[in-house]
Amino acid sequence: MATSLSLSTLSDLPADVRVPSYARSDLTPGIVHIGLGNFHRAHQAWYLHRLMDQGLAHDWAIIGAGVRPADAAARDKMLAQDCLTTLIELDPAGKSAEVTGSMIDFVPVQEGNAPLIAAMTQPAIRIVALTVTEGGYYQTGTGDFDAAHADMVHDAANPDTPRSAFGAMIAALRARRDADAGPFTCQSCDNLQGNGDILRQTIVGLARLSDAALADWIDAHCTFPNAMVDCIVPATGPSELALARDLGVADNVPVTHENFRQWVIEDAFCAGRPAWEKVGATLTNDVHAYEAMKLRCLNAGHQIIANAGEILGVETINGCMENAAINAFFHKVELTEIVPHVHAVPGMTPEAYVDLIARRFANPQIRDTTRRVAFDGSSRHPGFILPVIRDALAAGTSVCGLALVEALWARMCEGTREDGSEIAPNDPSWDTLQAAAKAAKTRPESWLDQTRIYGDLARDAVFVTAFSRWLSLINEVGTTATLTAYVANDPQID
Protein backbone atom coordinates (compact mmCIF):
# COMPACT_ATOMS: atom_id res chain seq x y z
CA MET A 1 0.00 0.00 0.00
CA ALA A 2 1.26 3.49 -0.84
CA THR A 3 2.12 5.87 2.01
CA SER A 4 0.52 9.33 1.99
CA LEU A 5 3.24 11.93 1.53
CA SER A 6 3.95 14.31 4.43
CA LEU A 7 6.82 15.31 6.68
CA SER A 8 5.61 12.89 9.33
CA THR A 9 5.61 9.91 6.96
CA LEU A 10 8.99 10.32 5.23
CA SER A 11 10.50 7.53 7.33
CA ASP A 12 7.64 5.23 6.31
CA LEU A 13 8.32 5.45 2.58
CA PRO A 14 9.96 2.52 0.78
CA ALA A 15 13.71 2.31 1.31
CA ASP A 16 14.46 2.88 -2.38
CA VAL A 17 12.65 6.26 -2.40
CA ARG A 18 15.26 8.94 -1.75
CA VAL A 19 14.14 11.45 0.90
CA PRO A 20 15.68 14.74 2.15
CA SER A 21 18.69 14.32 4.44
CA TYR A 22 18.08 17.74 5.97
CA ALA A 23 15.50 18.72 8.58
CA ARG A 24 12.85 20.98 7.16
CA SER A 25 12.74 22.85 10.48
CA ASP A 26 16.30 24.05 9.76
CA LEU A 27 15.29 25.82 6.53
CA THR A 28 14.52 29.52 6.20
CA PRO A 29 13.26 31.26 3.05
CA GLY A 30 15.39 33.10 0.52
CA ILE A 31 13.45 32.68 -2.73
CA VAL A 32 9.88 33.41 -3.79
CA HIS A 33 9.01 31.43 -6.91
CA ILE A 34 5.94 32.45 -8.92
CA GLY A 35 4.50 29.65 -11.05
CA LEU A 36 4.79 26.36 -9.17
CA GLY A 37 4.21 24.09 -12.13
CA ASN A 38 5.76 20.72 -12.83
CA PHE A 39 8.78 22.17 -14.57
CA HIS A 40 9.89 24.28 -11.63
CA ARG A 41 9.50 21.42 -9.18
CA ALA A 42 11.48 19.04 -11.40
CA HIS A 43 14.17 21.56 -12.23
CA GLN A 44 15.01 24.64 -10.14
CA ALA A 45 13.57 23.22 -6.91
CA TRP A 46 15.51 19.98 -7.45
CA TYR A 47 18.85 21.76 -7.83
CA LEU A 48 18.23 23.61 -4.56
CA HIS A 49 17.08 20.40 -2.84
CA ARG A 50 20.28 18.59 -3.83
CA LEU A 51 22.34 21.54 -2.56
CA MET A 52 20.49 21.37 0.76
CA ASP A 53 21.28 17.65 0.89
CA GLN A 54 24.95 18.66 1.01
CA GLY A 55 24.27 20.77 4.11
CA LEU A 56 24.33 24.01 2.11
CA ALA A 57 21.87 26.80 1.24
CA HIS A 58 19.53 26.15 4.17
CA ASP A 59 18.71 29.87 4.20
CA TRP A 60 17.54 29.77 0.56
CA ALA A 61 14.32 27.75 0.83
CA ILE A 62 11.50 28.44 -1.61
CA ILE A 63 8.15 30.05 -0.89
CA GLY A 64 5.75 29.20 -3.70
CA ALA A 65 3.33 31.69 -5.21
CA GLY A 66 0.81 32.17 -7.98
CA VAL A 67 -1.47 34.87 -9.34
CA ARG A 68 -4.14 32.83 -11.17
CA PRO A 69 -7.30 31.38 -9.61
CA ALA A 70 -6.08 27.88 -10.53
CA ASP A 71 -3.00 28.45 -8.37
CA ALA A 72 -5.21 28.39 -5.27
CA ALA A 73 -6.11 24.75 -5.92
CA ALA A 74 -2.44 23.91 -6.47
CA ARG A 75 -1.62 25.61 -3.16
CA ASP A 76 -4.17 23.49 -1.30
CA LYS A 77 -2.69 20.29 -2.72
CA MET A 78 0.88 21.28 -1.91
CA LEU A 79 0.12 22.42 1.64
CA ALA A 80 -1.76 19.18 2.29
CA GLN A 81 1.53 17.31 1.85
CA ASP A 82 3.77 19.90 3.54
CA CYS A 83 4.98 21.25 0.18
CA LEU A 84 6.86 18.03 -0.56
CA THR A 85 7.11 16.75 -4.12
CA THR A 86 7.72 13.24 -5.45
CA LEU A 87 9.93 13.34 -8.53
CA ILE A 88 9.87 10.23 -10.70
CA GLU A 89 12.76 9.85 -13.13
CA LEU A 90 11.75 8.02 -16.29
CA ASP A 91 14.90 6.37 -17.57
CA PRO A 92 14.67 3.71 -20.31
CA ALA A 93 16.71 1.52 -17.93
CA GLY A 94 14.18 1.90 -15.11
CA LYS A 95 12.22 4.25 -12.87
CA SER A 96 13.23 5.84 -9.57
CA ALA A 97 11.57 8.17 -7.08
CA GLU A 98 12.89 11.02 -4.96
CA VAL A 99 11.08 13.32 -2.51
CA THR A 100 12.25 16.94 -2.53
CA GLY A 101 11.75 19.41 0.31
CA SER A 102 13.28 22.72 -0.78
CA MET A 103 9.87 24.42 -0.86
CA ILE A 104 8.56 25.28 2.60
CA ASP A 105 5.39 27.34 2.07
CA PHE A 106 2.91 28.60 -0.52
CA VAL A 107 1.57 32.17 -0.39
CA PRO A 108 -2.24 32.56 -0.28
CA VAL A 109 -3.64 33.45 -3.71
CA GLN A 110 -5.79 36.56 -3.43
CA GLU A 111 -7.10 39.23 -5.77
CA GLY A 112 -4.82 42.24 -5.51
CA ASN A 113 -1.90 39.97 -4.51
CA ALA A 114 -1.39 41.47 -1.03
CA PRO A 115 0.04 38.21 0.48
CA LEU A 116 2.47 37.84 -2.43
CA ILE A 117 3.62 41.44 -2.14
CA ALA A 118 4.11 41.03 1.60
CA ALA A 119 6.19 37.86 1.09
CA MET A 120 8.48 39.52 -1.45
CA THR A 121 8.90 42.58 0.76
CA GLN A 122 10.61 40.56 3.50
CA PRO A 123 14.37 41.35 3.56
CA ALA A 124 15.21 37.62 3.73
CA ILE A 125 13.89 37.20 0.19
CA ARG A 126 16.83 37.82 -2.13
CA ILE A 127 15.57 36.19 -5.33
CA VAL A 128 12.12 36.31 -6.94
CA ALA A 129 11.95 33.73 -9.72
CA LEU A 130 9.27 32.93 -12.28
CA THR A 131 8.04 30.20 -14.59
CA VAL A 132 4.99 31.82 -16.19
CA THR A 133 5.30 30.36 -19.74
CA GLU A 134 6.87 31.91 -22.82
CA GLY A 135 3.75 33.93 -23.59
CA GLY A 136 3.41 35.44 -20.13
CA TYR A 137 5.75 38.42 -20.43
CA TYR A 138 3.43 40.95 -22.11
CA GLN A 139 5.34 41.37 -25.35
CA THR A 140 4.05 42.67 -28.64
CA GLY A 141 4.55 40.75 -31.87
CA THR A 142 7.82 42.64 -32.37
CA GLY A 143 9.07 41.78 -28.89
CA ASP A 144 8.48 45.17 -27.29
CA PHE A 145 6.72 45.69 -23.96
CA ASP A 146 2.94 45.63 -24.50
CA ALA A 147 1.91 48.64 -22.42
CA ALA A 148 -1.57 48.54 -23.97
CA HIS A 149 -2.45 45.09 -22.64
CA ALA A 150 -5.42 45.22 -20.28
CA ASP A 151 -3.42 43.68 -17.41
CA MET A 152 -0.65 46.26 -17.78
CA VAL A 153 -3.14 49.12 -18.00
CA HIS A 154 -4.81 47.84 -14.82
CA ASP A 155 -1.54 47.46 -12.92
CA ALA A 156 -0.31 50.91 -13.95
CA ALA A 157 -3.54 52.45 -12.68
CA ASN A 158 -3.65 50.28 -9.52
CA PRO A 159 -0.03 49.76 -8.43
CA ASP A 160 -1.00 48.74 -4.88
CA THR A 161 -3.45 46.04 -6.01
CA PRO A 162 -1.88 44.62 -9.17
CA ARG A 163 -3.27 41.80 -11.25
CA SER A 164 -0.02 40.43 -12.66
CA ALA A 165 3.06 38.85 -11.09
CA PHE A 166 5.12 41.71 -12.48
CA GLY A 167 2.91 44.33 -10.87
CA ALA A 168 3.25 42.50 -7.55
CA MET A 169 7.04 42.42 -7.90
CA ILE A 170 7.09 46.17 -8.55
CA ALA A 171 4.90 46.86 -5.51
CA ALA A 172 7.28 44.80 -3.36
CA LEU A 173 10.33 46.56 -4.75
CA ARG A 174 8.71 49.93 -4.02
CA ALA A 175 8.18 48.90 -0.40
CA ARG A 176 11.75 47.59 -0.12
CA ARG A 177 13.18 50.79 -1.57
CA ASP A 178 11.14 52.92 0.82
CA ALA A 179 12.20 50.76 3.79
CA ASP A 180 15.83 50.69 2.64
CA ALA A 181 15.62 46.88 2.52
CA GLY A 182 17.52 46.62 -0.75
CA PRO A 183 16.62 45.07 -4.11
CA PHE A 184 16.19 41.42 -5.02
CA THR A 185 17.28 39.53 -8.11
CA CYS A 186 14.48 39.03 -10.66
CA GLN A 187 15.08 35.61 -12.24
CA SER A 188 13.18 34.24 -15.22
CA CYS A 189 13.24 30.46 -15.62
CA ASP A 190 11.13 30.36 -18.79
CA ASN A 191 12.12 29.18 -22.26
CA LEU A 192 12.87 32.54 -23.82
CA GLN A 193 16.11 33.63 -25.42
CA GLY A 194 17.36 36.51 -23.32
CA ASN A 195 14.75 35.71 -20.67
CA GLY A 196 16.39 37.98 -18.11
CA ASP A 197 16.50 40.87 -20.56
CA ILE A 198 12.83 40.31 -21.41
CA LEU A 199 11.92 40.24 -17.72
CA ARG A 200 13.80 43.51 -17.18
CA GLN A 201 11.90 45.06 -20.09
CA THR A 202 8.54 44.04 -18.59
CA ILE A 203 9.31 45.05 -15.00
CA VAL A 204 10.94 48.37 -15.83
CA GLY A 205 8.42 49.15 -18.57
CA LEU A 206 5.44 48.52 -16.29
CA ALA A 207 7.00 50.46 -13.39
CA ARG A 208 7.62 53.43 -15.66
CA LEU A 209 3.92 53.70 -16.47
CA SER A 210 3.17 54.76 -12.89
CA ASP A 211 6.46 55.75 -11.21
CA ALA A 212 9.44 56.77 -13.34
CA ALA A 213 11.72 57.21 -10.33
CA LEU A 214 10.97 53.69 -9.13
CA ALA A 215 11.58 52.34 -12.63
CA ASP A 216 15.02 53.99 -12.63
CA TRP A 217 15.79 52.54 -9.18
CA ILE A 218 14.82 49.03 -10.28
CA ASP A 219 16.84 49.33 -13.47
CA ALA A 220 19.90 50.50 -11.56
CA HIS A 221 19.79 48.18 -8.53
CA CYS A 222 18.03 44.94 -9.48
CA THR A 223 19.67 42.27 -11.61
CA PHE A 224 17.94 40.11 -14.22
CA PRO A 225 20.20 37.15 -15.05
CA ASN A 226 19.65 35.36 -18.33
CA ALA A 227 19.39 31.59 -18.10
CA MET A 228 18.84 28.47 -20.15
CA VAL A 229 16.70 25.74 -18.60
CA ASP A 230 16.27 22.23 -19.96
CA CYS A 231 14.42 19.15 -18.76
CA ILE A 232 11.46 17.39 -20.38
CA VAL A 233 8.65 17.30 -17.81
CA PRO A 234 5.27 15.87 -18.88
CA ALA A 235 1.97 16.99 -17.41
CA THR A 236 0.59 15.00 -14.49
CA GLY A 237 -2.49 12.87 -15.05
CA PRO A 238 -4.01 9.64 -13.78
CA SER A 239 -1.13 7.49 -15.04
CA GLU A 240 1.44 9.61 -13.18
CA LEU A 241 -0.60 9.42 -9.98
CA ALA A 242 -0.80 5.66 -10.38
CA LEU A 243 2.93 5.42 -11.06
CA ALA A 244 3.74 7.25 -7.82
CA ARG A 245 1.47 4.84 -5.91
CA ASP A 246 3.17 1.88 -7.60
CA LEU A 247 6.47 3.23 -6.27
CA GLY A 248 4.97 3.43 -2.77
CA VAL A 249 4.07 7.13 -2.51
CA ALA A 250 0.54 8.55 -2.42
CA ASP A 251 1.30 12.01 -3.79
CA ASN A 252 -1.54 14.22 -5.09
CA VAL A 253 0.83 16.17 -7.38
CA PRO A 254 3.79 13.97 -8.38
CA VAL A 255 6.07 15.03 -11.22
CA THR A 256 7.66 12.78 -13.84
CA HIS A 257 10.75 13.86 -15.74
CA GLU A 258 13.41 12.57 -18.09
CA ASN A 259 16.90 11.50 -16.98
CA PHE A 260 18.48 14.76 -18.16
CA ARG A 261 18.72 18.26 -16.71
CA GLN A 262 20.65 21.37 -17.68
CA TRP A 263 20.69 24.85 -16.17
CA VAL A 264 23.02 27.53 -17.49
CA ILE A 265 22.82 30.78 -15.53
CA GLU A 266 24.34 34.20 -15.98
CA ASP A 267 26.17 34.95 -12.73
CA ALA A 268 24.45 38.27 -11.98
CA PHE A 269 22.71 38.25 -8.57
CA CYS A 270 22.47 41.55 -6.74
CA ALA A 271 21.67 40.02 -3.33
CA GLY A 272 23.57 36.74 -3.42
CA ARG A 273 22.59 33.27 -4.60
CA PRO A 274 22.81 29.58 -3.73
CA ALA A 275 25.94 27.73 -4.94
CA TRP A 276 24.03 25.91 -7.69
CA GLU A 277 27.28 25.09 -9.48
CA LYS A 278 28.01 22.56 -6.71
CA VAL A 279 25.11 20.41 -7.97
CA GLY A 280 25.68 20.62 -11.71
CA ALA A 281 24.42 24.02 -12.85
CA THR A 282 26.68 26.04 -15.13
CA LEU A 283 27.35 29.60 -13.98
CA THR A 284 28.69 31.77 -16.76
CA ASN A 285 28.83 35.29 -18.10
CA ASP A 286 27.85 34.09 -21.60
CA VAL A 287 24.53 32.26 -21.64
CA HIS A 288 23.60 33.22 -25.21
CA ALA A 289 25.27 30.34 -27.08
CA TYR A 290 23.79 27.73 -24.73
CA GLU A 291 20.29 29.16 -24.86
CA ALA A 292 20.39 29.64 -28.64
CA MET A 293 21.35 25.99 -29.13
CA LYS A 294 18.63 24.76 -26.80
CA LEU A 295 15.80 27.03 -27.98
CA ARG A 296 16.58 26.59 -31.67
CA CYS A 297 17.24 22.86 -31.65
CA LEU A 298 15.13 21.44 -28.81
CA ASN A 299 12.24 23.88 -28.46
CA ALA A 300 12.00 24.45 -32.19
CA GLY A 301 12.37 20.69 -32.65
CA HIS A 302 9.31 20.14 -30.49
CA GLN A 303 7.31 22.40 -32.81
CA ILE A 304 8.70 20.66 -35.90
CA ILE A 305 7.20 17.35 -34.85
CA ALA A 306 4.20 18.24 -32.65
CA ASN A 307 1.96 19.88 -35.23
CA ALA A 308 2.49 17.06 -37.73
CA GLY A 309 1.84 14.55 -34.97
CA GLU A 310 -1.37 16.26 -33.91
CA ILE A 311 -2.70 16.31 -37.48
CA LEU A 312 -1.92 12.59 -37.83
CA GLY A 313 -3.35 11.68 -34.43
CA VAL A 314 -0.03 10.64 -32.87
CA GLU A 315 -0.60 10.94 -29.13
CA THR A 316 2.93 11.28 -27.75
CA ILE A 317 6.27 12.85 -28.67
CA ASN A 318 8.07 9.51 -28.61
CA GLY A 319 5.30 8.26 -30.90
CA CYS A 320 6.13 11.11 -33.29
CA MET A 321 9.76 10.00 -33.33
CA GLU A 322 8.62 6.44 -34.13
CA ASN A 323 6.74 7.76 -37.18
CA ALA A 324 9.17 7.40 -40.10
CA ALA A 325 7.95 10.45 -42.02
CA ILE A 326 7.97 12.77 -38.99
CA ASN A 327 11.36 11.48 -37.82
CA ALA A 328 12.96 12.06 -41.22
CA PHE A 329 11.37 15.51 -41.40
CA PHE A 330 12.74 16.39 -37.95
CA HIS A 331 16.29 15.38 -38.81
CA LYS A 332 16.38 17.13 -42.18
CA VAL A 333 15.03 20.46 -40.90
CA GLU A 334 17.31 20.37 -37.86
CA LEU A 335 20.51 19.48 -39.69
CA THR A 336 20.07 21.48 -42.90
CA GLU A 337 18.10 24.56 -41.84
CA ILE A 338 18.65 25.10 -38.10
CA VAL A 339 22.16 23.81 -37.31
CA PRO A 340 23.82 26.26 -39.77
CA HIS A 341 22.56 29.08 -37.52
CA VAL A 342 23.66 27.58 -34.19
CA HIS A 343 27.13 27.87 -32.63
CA ALA A 344 28.88 25.14 -30.68
CA VAL A 345 29.25 25.42 -26.89
CA PRO A 346 32.00 23.89 -24.74
CA GLY A 347 31.76 20.12 -25.09
CA MET A 348 28.87 20.06 -27.58
CA THR A 349 28.52 20.66 -31.32
CA PRO A 350 25.09 21.49 -32.77
CA GLU A 351 25.07 18.20 -34.68
CA ALA A 352 25.78 16.21 -31.52
CA TYR A 353 23.09 18.16 -29.71
CA VAL A 354 20.52 17.23 -32.36
CA ASP A 355 21.45 13.56 -31.84
CA LEU A 356 21.04 14.03 -28.07
CA ILE A 357 17.60 15.58 -28.28
CA ALA A 358 16.46 12.99 -30.82
CA ARG A 359 17.25 10.29 -28.23
CA ARG A 360 15.52 12.28 -25.51
CA PHE A 361 12.38 12.80 -27.62
CA ALA A 362 12.33 9.07 -28.41
CA ASN A 363 12.50 8.00 -24.74
CA PRO A 364 9.57 5.53 -24.50
CA GLN A 365 9.22 6.10 -20.75
CA ILE A 366 8.33 9.78 -21.23
CA ARG A 367 4.67 10.05 -22.15
CA ASP A 368 4.92 13.69 -23.12
CA THR A 369 1.76 14.38 -25.07
CA THR A 370 1.80 15.90 -28.51
CA ARG A 371 -1.02 18.17 -27.39
CA ARG A 372 1.02 19.61 -24.50
CA VAL A 373 3.99 20.32 -26.74
CA ALA A 374 1.78 21.91 -29.41
CA PHE A 375 0.04 24.15 -26.85
CA ASP A 376 0.34 27.95 -27.26
CA GLY A 377 1.87 27.92 -30.71
CA SER A 378 1.16 31.64 -30.98
CA SER A 379 3.95 32.13 -28.42
CA ARG A 380 6.18 29.20 -29.29
CA HIS A 381 6.46 29.69 -33.05
CA PRO A 382 7.47 33.38 -32.76
CA GLY A 383 9.88 32.42 -29.97
CA PHE A 384 11.51 29.32 -31.46
CA ILE A 385 10.88 29.03 -35.22
CA LEU A 386 10.55 32.52 -36.68
CA PRO A 387 13.92 33.84 -35.43
CA VAL A 388 15.67 31.03 -37.32
CA ILE A 389 13.66 31.82 -40.44
CA ARG A 390 14.74 35.46 -40.24
CA ASP A 391 18.39 34.49 -39.81
CA ALA A 392 18.21 32.03 -42.71
CA LEU A 393 16.61 34.58 -45.01
CA ALA A 394 19.26 37.13 -44.09
CA ALA A 395 22.01 34.58 -44.81
CA GLY A 396 20.41 33.40 -48.04
CA THR A 397 20.05 29.80 -46.83
CA SER A 398 17.03 27.52 -47.22
CA VAL A 399 13.79 28.07 -45.32
CA CYS A 400 11.90 25.38 -47.22
CA GLY A 401 11.44 23.00 -44.28
CA LEU A 402 10.86 25.81 -41.78
CA ALA A 403 8.11 27.15 -44.04
CA LEU A 404 6.61 23.65 -43.97
CA VAL A 405 6.67 23.74 -40.15
CA GLU A 406 4.56 26.89 -40.30
CA ALA A 407 2.21 25.35 -42.86
CA LEU A 408 1.70 22.35 -40.58
CA TRP A 409 0.86 24.67 -37.70
CA ALA A 410 -1.70 26.45 -39.88
CA ARG A 411 -3.22 23.12 -40.89
CA MET A 412 -3.37 21.98 -37.24
CA CYS A 413 -5.14 25.17 -36.21
CA GLU A 414 -7.90 24.39 -38.69
CA GLY A 415 -9.11 22.17 -35.85
CA THR A 416 -9.46 18.69 -37.35
CA ARG A 417 -7.14 15.72 -37.77
CA GLU A 418 -6.82 13.81 -41.01
CA ASP A 419 -9.00 11.06 -39.54
CA GLY A 420 -11.79 13.61 -39.10
CA SER A 421 -11.56 13.89 -35.31
CA GLU A 422 -11.63 17.30 -33.66
CA ILE A 423 -8.56 19.06 -32.29
CA ALA A 424 -9.76 20.79 -29.13
CA PRO A 425 -8.77 24.44 -28.64
CA ASN A 426 -5.08 24.48 -27.79
CA ASP A 427 -3.97 28.10 -27.73
CA PRO A 428 -5.02 31.26 -25.85
CA SER A 429 -5.75 32.75 -29.30
CA TRP A 430 -7.42 29.63 -30.72
CA ASP A 431 -10.48 31.34 -32.20
CA THR A 432 -8.33 33.84 -34.10
CA LEU A 433 -5.94 31.13 -35.27
CA GLN A 434 -8.76 28.85 -36.38
CA ALA A 435 -10.42 31.63 -38.38
CA ALA A 436 -7.13 32.37 -40.13
CA ALA A 437 -6.49 28.67 -40.79
CA LYS A 438 -9.90 28.19 -42.37
CA ALA A 439 -9.40 31.25 -44.57
CA ALA A 440 -6.01 29.85 -45.61
CA LYS A 441 -7.63 26.76 -47.14
CA THR A 442 -8.54 28.85 -50.17
CA ARG A 443 -5.91 31.59 -49.83
CA PRO A 444 -2.81 30.27 -48.01
CA GLU A 445 -1.28 33.73 -47.63
CA SER A 446 -4.13 34.80 -45.36
CA TRP A 447 -2.54 32.80 -42.52
CA LEU A 448 0.52 35.05 -42.76
CA ASP A 449 -1.67 38.16 -42.51
CA GLN A 450 -1.48 37.65 -38.73
CA THR A 451 1.05 40.45 -38.41
CA ARG A 452 1.26 40.17 -34.61
CA ILE A 453 2.88 36.79 -35.25
CA TYR A 454 4.68 37.12 -38.57
CA GLY A 455 5.40 40.82 -38.91
CA ASP A 456 7.74 41.46 -41.83
CA LEU A 457 7.89 37.78 -42.81
CA ALA A 458 4.44 38.16 -44.36
CA ARG A 459 6.09 40.33 -47.03
CA ASP A 460 9.10 38.12 -47.76
CA ALA A 461 8.53 36.55 -51.18
CA VAL A 462 10.78 33.53 -50.58
CA PHE A 463 9.08 32.56 -47.33
CA VAL A 464 5.54 33.36 -48.50
CA THR A 465 5.97 31.33 -51.69
CA ALA A 466 7.35 28.29 -49.86
CA PHE A 467 4.68 28.46 -47.16
CA SER A 468 1.83 28.77 -49.66
CA ARG A 469 3.05 25.84 -51.75
CA TRP A 470 3.38 23.63 -48.67
CA LEU A 471 -0.03 24.44 -47.25
CA SER A 472 -1.66 23.81 -50.61
CA LEU A 473 0.15 20.48 -50.90
CA ILE A 474 -0.86 19.41 -47.38
CA ASN A 475 -4.49 20.11 -48.25
CA GLU A 476 -4.12 18.29 -51.57
CA VAL A 477 -2.20 15.11 -50.70
CA GLY A 478 -2.04 15.01 -46.89
CA THR A 479 0.63 15.40 -44.27
CA THR A 480 2.61 12.18 -44.68
CA ALA A 481 2.94 12.56 -48.45
CA THR A 482 3.99 16.19 -48.03
CA LEU A 483 6.66 15.35 -45.45
CA THR A 484 7.95 12.59 -47.72
CA ALA A 485 8.12 15.01 -50.65
CA TYR A 486 10.17 17.48 -48.61
CA VAL A 487 12.61 14.85 -47.38
CA ALA A 488 12.97 13.48 -50.93
CA ASN A 489 13.78 16.96 -52.31
CA ASP A 490 10.86 16.91 -54.74
CA PRO A 491 11.87 19.62 -57.24
CA GLN A 492 8.29 20.71 -57.68
CA ILE A 493 8.08 21.96 -54.13
CA ASP A 494 11.64 22.49 -52.90
Side-chain angles (χ1 to χ4, degrees):
M1 177 179 290
T3 299
S4 295
L5 182 61
S6 71
L7 286 172
S8 64
T9 62
L10 286 178
S11 61
D12 299 327
L13 296 177
D16 58 353
V17 175
R18 178 172 176 157
V19 298
S21 64
Y22 48 89
R24 279 281 298 272
S25 58
D26 292 341
L27 304 185
T28 57
I31 299 171
V32 169
H33 191 98
I34 304 170
L36 263 294
N38 282 13
F39 183 81
H40 165 72
R41 291 187 289 137
H43 194 267
Q44 297 91 27
W46 176 87
Y47 279 95
L48 186 58
H49 157 74
R50 282 298 182 91
L51 195 56
M52 290 172 168
D53 256 349
Q54 296 184 12
L56 303 171
H58 287 190
D59 61 340
W60 283 102
I62 297 166
I63 296 176
V67 298
R68 305 170 306 160
D71 294 322
R75 176 178 185 266
D76 291 342
K77 290 180 179 180
M78 291 300 299
L79 290 179
Q81 55 192 51
D82 299 319
C83 295
L84 298 171
T85 289
T86 307
L87 297 182
I88 303 170
E89 182 174 281
L90 301 176
D91 189 317
K95 304 176 182 67
S96 60
E98 174 176 11
V99 174
T100 64
S102 54
M103 177 182 168
I104 61 174
D105 200 1
F106 201 127
V107 176
V109 181
Q110 292 183 11
E111 185 176 353
N113 287 306
L116 173 57
I117 295 168
M120 294 186 291
T121 302
Q122 297 303 310
I125 299 303
R126 287 150 284 164
I127 296 173
V128 173
L130 307 97
T131 42
V132 294
T133 77
E134 298 90 348
Y137 285 80
Y138 298 97
Q139 293 179 274
T140 66
T142 57
D144 298 320
F145 171 57
D146 187 2
H149 191 284
D151 289 347
M152 299 296 92
V153 172
H154 173 277
D155 286 3
N158 303 276
D160 295 327
T161 55
R163 180 181 296 166
S164 73
F166 310 107
M169 291 168 70
I170 293 165
L173 286 166
R174 180 187 300 107
R176 292 172 71 110
R177 180 201 61 180
D178 294 347
D180 199 25
F184 51 65
T185 295
C186 305
Q187 184 180 24
S188 171
C189 299
D190 281 300
N191 280 315
L192 290 163
Q193 188 161 345
N195 55 8
D197 297 333
I198 292 169
L199 178 56
R200 179 188 291 271
Q201 172 181 272
T202 303
I203 292 286
V204 174
L206 176 56
R208 199 168 298 284
L209 295 178
S210 59
D211 189 334
L214 177 61
D216 290 341
W217 184 86
I218 293 171
D219 203 22
H221 293 90
C222 293
T223 48
F224 299 79
N226 291 304
M228 184 273 278
V229 296
D230 191 7
C231 185
I232 296 174
V233 183
T236 296
S239 62
E240 287 73 26
L241 293 168
L243 178 57
R245 289 193 295 271
D246 289 344
L247 293 170
V249 189
D251 185 332
N252 288 322
V253 280
V255 177
T256 58
H257 61 91
E258 66 171 328
N259 57 336
F260 178 91
R261 285 186 184 87
Q262 189 177 20
W263 196 9
V264 182
I265 316 166
E266 184 180 10
D267 199 357
F269 290 80
C270 64
R273 62 168 177 82
W276 287 304
E277 67 273 18
K278 294 182 181 294
V279 286
T282 300
L283 275 294
T284 179
N285 290 320
D286 183 17
V287 174
H288 177 73
Y290 290 91
E291 66 182 359
M293 177 180 284
K294 189 262 180 171
L295 295 175
R296 293 189 169 202
C297 295
L298 188 147
N299 294 102
H302 263 154
Q303 300 312 301
I304 290 170
I305 63 178
N307 299 142
E310 186 71 294
I311 297 166
L312 294 174
V314 182
E315 184 179 354
T316 63
I317 293 301
N318 70 290
C320 290
M321 296 303 286
E322 292 172 357
N323 180 291
I326 297 176
N327 189 303
F329 174 55
F330 165 83
H331 279 92
K332 182 174 180 179
V333 176
E334 287 275 7
L335 294 173
T336 67
E337 299 191 24
I338 293 179
V339 160
H341 308 287
V342 176
H343 297 293
V345 300
M348 184 69 71
T349 66
E351 293 82 1
Y353 189 66
V354 170
D355 288 341
L356 171 64
I357 62 175
R359 294 194 299 272
R360 291 168 62 193
F361 287 177
N363 183 345
Q365 298 299 322
I366 297 286
R367 286 192 57 80
D368 200 8
T369 66
T370 305
R371 176 175 174 80
R372 185 197 74 83
V373 172
F375 174 74
D376 197 12
S378 59
S379 294
R380 294 180 175 183
H381 283 254
F384 308 142
I385 300 292
L386 303 190
V388 187
I389 293 176
R390 289 190 169 91
D391 283 356
L393 289 169
T397 59
S398 175
V399 297
C400 185
L402 293 166
L404 176 50
V405 173
E406 294 308 289
L408 289 164
W409 180 37
R411 170 61 184 83
M412 188 203 77
C413 289
E414 186 185 316
T416 57
R417 300 181 181 87
E418 290 190 353
D419 64 6
S421 61
E422 179 184 0
I423 298 174
N426 201 23
D427 193 289
S429 302
W430 184 257
D431 290 344
T432 300
L433 294 172
Q434 189 171 47
K438 289 181 176 180
K441 291 184 68 174
T442 54
R443 179 179 170 268
E445 296 87 349
S446 62
W447 174 262
L448 303 178
D449 289 341
Q450 299 179 96
T451 55
R452 67 181 183 84
I453 295 174
Y454 289 100
D456 58 332
L457 287 177
R459 299 187 297 275
D460 186 281
V462 172
F463 172 66
V464 172
T465 299
F467 170 86
S468 299
R469 288 176 177 174
W470 283 127
L471 187 54
S472 295
L473 193 65
I474 292 168
N475 288 326
E476 179 183 346
V477 302
T479 297
T480 299
T482 302
L483 297 179
T484 302
Y486 165 72
V487 172
N489 296 314
D490 188 325
Q492 293 183 349
I493 47 81
D494 197 359

